[in-house]
């Protein structure tokens, strides 16, 4: 709604009130006129009906008849209905009704005036009477005389219409009257609103007082503002100009309403003001003044077509603006440097980013030198002027500055040494006059000057109170020399870079420690054994050292254990955890446990370690969640028994080059088994098969799910005839991204078999007499193998082991000899009782057999099988153990002291 406080609102309200009064007056007059016309029409209609009936033929004769009512009543009712009046009543000269619409009223006196009618006149009056079919109440009635032929009055006729029906006629016309009035009011209001709207646009909806106030305010501002304002019409005439504009352009007093071209302005200024193009912050020279000109069209803002021009004197601000622009550029440089420097945790790259951020916006050439301990990630011992150039940027082609990587010994008098010792930036605005810089290397210094380098700022790189190195900012031809204001920028750049370099140095130190720890815990090489030909790859993640590990562990009976595992997380904790688990697996493997039992013990150990760390309140990552795959391969029969604790199963490449992923029983990761047993699976591998063990980092990453990774691994492995080393190379090339996000451990082993000529097996009955027979058979086999030199020691070992099996064990008893890298003797029986090595007492008659076995073999031990146990020994094929053990007699005599005899 329009605000009545505005001029437009007040005009609109006044016009609406006037229109409303006019419409009300017109409707009232029209209603009165209609009422009057309706009354006149009713009177005229009543007179017509009364006189017509009175003068109708037969009316007078009927009045003279014996029963006038019977004759006239039907006629009167018919006349009433035809004429449209409410009643037609016939009276005698005494005023008694002879007819009436309601027969019950016949014979009663007439209500009204009859005297004038008895005199022969027709009268019209308002009178009441009995109800009639047309209504009740007062009626407009006419009374006309009925005359005989001689002119005498013989009766009267009254006809009329009730006032109620006359009002209904008016009411029927009243909607038309009111509708016409409302339409006139709406039309007038719309017209008034349109006029008021236009007035509101022109006055901006302001009240008169507000318009006056604003005009006065705008006029005061227009002339008081320190900015020139010109308003120019579209035809080029100057409409308004404030005092400042007159002063800046030296306009004459009568400038307004004159064309811009006639104001005696210089040609460039006149062309600028009269052009039809907008201008934004154009710097224009008018006389000896430097003006900032803005020009905008007034048409989009509702005014007349034209232009408004503002002029600002910037002569005094030019110098300040130049300095502000320099300050803005420096702030922008520092902001960009803060974004660009320190994007990596590499010391060298951070130095390069400092140099790249400063060239060419601040310096022509930037070189950075660091202390050698910083490059190694170590803490610098103190201020030293021997530094190694780490980064240089801005050099093109052959240059005279020292190259990157060179160790520079700065002279004490030079600017670098001065900056390092003082801890403050050193400015050399003119290198040709710097004696200290020239003394560093006069010949090289002259070459640098010849190449256009003329100014230098040296800033020490310090972080957390430790000197890391120095940054040198050089300027060349085409740029002004450094000044005192440039020192703060150089120091800010160096300070930001120093913090990033120190962070990178500390990361390098931590990373080096973690890598060193991890490498010390991982296998340095593969043990010698004949069961498998193995090769491996280990690649740490770019993000840091992880906890992946692998192992190849020789076991008894020429068997070999293959292990691969993964610890959750990265860093020192993961590497240390990996070492603990690897050591535990080694220890458990010496017990010759089956894979499922070994993982059960490892699971219990992990849970126990985590419980201890939790009880001690250590805020560590824990070990729970680590995975492990443990497989044992037997080259005698080609069987492989494997079990997994949450780890991916192995891949098997058959000799024909086909690849399969055998299914292993699923078990949870270590520490989550909750005491549940682990299960193992058994496979028989043909000779020449390749067994591939790996960690999840090889087949799974952010861009590839596990299924796709396994299929890619299958493709990389498919193909016959490749060695394990070639297989590792092919898999790494095909599977590994440029920057792996997780550690990768890969172990490839090609299976071998012991030939039948390398294995000898005898079943031994449980009879002491069988010992000599087996011993003789074994001696013959050793002779066939060319191992006569160790025959005596082997016979002694077998005699002791077979005798113990017969005496203390249970059937079946079996002896097996394996000729591998060593001679392996195995005696198995159905008992699970394990012998223990101990030193016999003087009075003991036995107990020295196992002592002899231990002295004549390199290793010996017991492993348990589902059917009992196996006692095994290993002897060198050259007989070294027996020779080092001494003669049998000496060994036996050593069991007693001189006092025992």
């Amino acid at each position: 709604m329009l605000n009545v406080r505005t001029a437009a609102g007040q005009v609109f309200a006044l016009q609406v009130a006037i229109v409303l009064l006019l419409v009300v007056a017109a409707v009232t007059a029209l209603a009165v006129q209609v009422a009057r016309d309706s009354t006149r029409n009713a009177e005229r209609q009543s007179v017509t009906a009364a006189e017509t009936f009175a003068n109708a033929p037969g009316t007078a004769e009927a009045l003279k008849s014996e029963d006038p009512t019977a004759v006239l009543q039907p006629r009167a009712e018919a006349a009433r209905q035809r004429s449209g009046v409410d009643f037609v009543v016939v009276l005698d000269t005494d005023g008694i009704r002879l007819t009436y619409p309601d027969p019950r009223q016949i014979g009663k006196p007439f209500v009204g005036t009859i005297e004038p009618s008895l005199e022969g006149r027709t009268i019209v009056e308002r009178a009441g009477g009995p109800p009639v079919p047309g209504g009740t109440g007062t009626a407009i009635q006419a009374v006309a005389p009925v005359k005989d032929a001689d002119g005498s009055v013989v009766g009267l006729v009254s006809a009329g219409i009730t006032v109620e029906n006359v009002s209904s006629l008016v009411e029927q016309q009243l909607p038309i009257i009111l509708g016409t009035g409302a339409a006139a009011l709406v039309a007038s209001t719309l017209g008034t609103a349109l006029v008021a709207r236009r007035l509101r646009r022109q006055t901006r909806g302001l009240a008169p007082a507000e318009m006056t106030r604003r005009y006065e305010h705008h006029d005061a501002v227009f002339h008081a503002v320190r900015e020139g304002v010109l308003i120019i019409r579209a035809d080029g005439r100057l409409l308004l100009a404030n005092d400042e504009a007159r002063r800046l352009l030296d306009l004459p007093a009568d400038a307004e309403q004159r064309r811009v071209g006639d104001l005696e302005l210089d040609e460039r200024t006149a062309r600028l003001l009269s052009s039809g193009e907008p201008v934004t912050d154009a710097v224009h020279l008018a006389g000896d003044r430097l003006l900032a000109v803005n020009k905008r069209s007034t048409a989009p803002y509702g005014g007349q077509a034209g232009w408004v021009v503002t002029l600002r004197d910037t002569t005094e601000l030019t110098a300040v603006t130049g300095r502000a622009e320099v300050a803005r550029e420096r702030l922008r440089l520092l902001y960009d440097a803060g974004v660009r420097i320190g994007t990596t945790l590499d010391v060298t790259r951070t130095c390069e980013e400092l140099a790249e951020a400063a060239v060419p916006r601040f310096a022509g050439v930037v070189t950075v030198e660091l202390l050698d301990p910083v490059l190694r990630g170590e803490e610098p011992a103190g201020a030293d002027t021997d530094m190694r150039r780490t980064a240089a940027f801005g050099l093109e082609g052959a240059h005279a500055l020292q190259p990157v990587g060179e160790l520079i010994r700065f002279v004490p008098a030079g600017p670098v040494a001065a900056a390092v010792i003082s801890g403050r930036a050193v400015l050399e605005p003119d290198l040709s006059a710097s004696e200290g810089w020239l003394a560093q290397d006069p010949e090289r210094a002259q070459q640098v000057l010849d190449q256009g380098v003329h100014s230098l700022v040296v800033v020490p790189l310090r972080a957390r109170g430790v000197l890391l190195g120095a940054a040198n900012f050089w300027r060349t031809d085409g740029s002004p020399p450094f000044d005192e204001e440039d020192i703060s920028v150089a120091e800010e750049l160096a300070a930001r870079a120093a913090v990033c370099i120190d962070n990178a140095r500390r990361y390098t130190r931590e990373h080096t420690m973690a890598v060193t720890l991890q490498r010390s815990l991982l296998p340095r090489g593969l043990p010698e054994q004949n069961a498998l030909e193995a090769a491996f790859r280990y690649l740490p993640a770019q993000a840091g050292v992880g906890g992946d590990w692998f192992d190849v562990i020789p076991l008894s009976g020429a068997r070999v254990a293959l292990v691969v595992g993964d610890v959750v997380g990265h860093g020192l904790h993961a590497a240390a955890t990996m070492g603990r688990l690897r050591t535990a697996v080694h220890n458990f493997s010496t017990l010759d446990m089956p894979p499922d039992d070994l993982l059960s013990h490892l699971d219990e150990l992990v849970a126990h370690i985590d419980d201890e760390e939790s009880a001690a309140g250590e805020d560590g990552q824990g070990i729970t969640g680590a995975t492990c795959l443990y497989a044992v391969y037997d080259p005698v029969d080609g069987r492989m028994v494997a079990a997994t604790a949450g780890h991916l199963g192995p891949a098997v490449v058959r000799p024909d080059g086909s690849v399969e992923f055998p299914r292993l029983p699923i078990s949870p990761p270590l520490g989550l088994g909750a005491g549940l047993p682990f299960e193992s699976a058994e496979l028989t591998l043909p000779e020449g098969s390749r067994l591939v063990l790996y960690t999840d980092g090889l087949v799974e990453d952010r861009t590839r799910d596990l299924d796709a990774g396994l299929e890619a691994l299958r493709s990389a492995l498919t193909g016959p005839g490749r060695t394990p080393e070639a297989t590792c190379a092919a898999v790494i090339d095909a599977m590994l991204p440029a920057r792996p996000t997780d550690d990768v451990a890969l172990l490839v082993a090609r299976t071998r078999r012991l030939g039948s000529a390398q294995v000898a097996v005898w079943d031994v009955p449980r009879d002491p007499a069988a010992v000599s027979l087996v011993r003789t058979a074994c001696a013959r086999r050793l002779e066939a193998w060319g191992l006569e030199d160790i025959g005596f020691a082997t016979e002694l070992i077998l005699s002791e082991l077979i005798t113990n099996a017969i005496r203390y064990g249970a059937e079946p008893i079996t002896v097996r000899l394996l000729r591998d890298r060593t001679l392996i003797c195995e005696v198995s029986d159905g008992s699970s009782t394990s012998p223990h090595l101990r030193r016999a007492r003087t009075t003991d008659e036995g107990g020295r057999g196992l002592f002899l076995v231990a002295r004549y073999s390199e290793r010996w031990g017991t492993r348990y099988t589902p059917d009992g146990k196996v006692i095994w020994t290993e002897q060198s094929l050259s007989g070294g153990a027996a020779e080092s053990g001494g003669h049998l007699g000496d060994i036996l005599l050593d069991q007693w002291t001189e006092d025992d005899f």
Side-chain angles (χ1 to χ4, degrees), residues 500-690:
C500 296
I501 292 171
D502 190 55
N503 290 337
R505 177 193 65 81
R506 298 172 68 181
Y507 171 78
T508 301
R509 179 187 61 190
E510 299 296 330
H511 184 71
T512 302
M513 292 173 58
V515 170
T516 303
L517 174 62
Q518 185 187 45
R519 288 178 178 174
S520 66
L521 296 176
L522 284 172
R524 301 293 180 86
L526 297 179
E528 295 182 355
Q529 43 78 35
N530 291 336
L532 298 167
E533 178 189 355
F536 67 91
R537 291 290 189 279
Y538 175 78
L539 290 92
Q542 294 290 333
V545 174
D548 292 8
W549 93 92
F550 63 93
D551 243 324
V552 177
I553 306 173
L555 301 177
S556 63
R559 297 170 306 131
V560 177
L562 301 176
V563 190
V564 67
D566 188 2
V567 174
V568 178
H570 294 86
L572 286 174
H573 183 272
T577 300
M578 176 270 290
R580 298 168 75 178
L581 292 181
R582 180 170 177 254
T583 301
V585 171
H586 265 277
N587 292 337
F588 289 142
S589 67
T590 59
L591 301 178
D592 269 330
M593 292 182 178
D596 50 350
D597 289 348
L598 185 143
L599 291 182
S600 296
H601 284 77
L602 194 61
D603 179 72
E604 294 176 3
L605 175 64
V606 168
H608 179 68
I609 292 175
D610 275 350
D611 290 342
E612 285 185 347
E613 291 183 354
S614 299
E618 297 183 9
D619 188 16
Q621 300 177 5
I623 305 179
T624 296
T627 63
C628 181
L629 170 63
Y630 187 83
V632 176
Y633 174 72
D634 190 343
V636 176
D637 53 11
R639 289 189 306 162
M640 183 193 73
V641 181
T644 177
H647 200 86
L648 296 172
V652 177
V653 184
R654 300 290 180 177
D656 61 358
S658 61
V659 180
E660 64 181 35
F661 294 94
R663 292 185 174 274
L664 301 182
I666 299 175
S667 298
L670 298 173
L672 302 176
L676 298 176
F678 287 80
E679 298 182 42
S680 61
E682 183 176 307
L683 303 173
T684 300
L685 303 178
E687 186 174 7
S689 299
R690 281 170 286 163

Side-chain angles (χ1 to χ4, degrees), residues 757-758 760 762 774-798 816-820 822-825 875-877:
Q758 296 176 275
W762 296 272
V774 175
R775 187 169 60 235
T776 302
C778 290
R780 288 197 298 267
R781 179 52 63 94
L782 292 176
E783 184 179 354
W785 285 345
L787 300 178
E788 298 90 344
D789 294 342
I790 59 173
F792 175 76
T794 303
E795 292 180 25
L796 179 61
I797 291 172
L798 289 175
R816 186 172 72 168
L817 296 182
L818 302 177
R819 189 182 188 282
D820 193 31
T822 60
L823 176 64
I824 301 172
C825 301
Q875 298 170 258
S876 173
L877 298 182

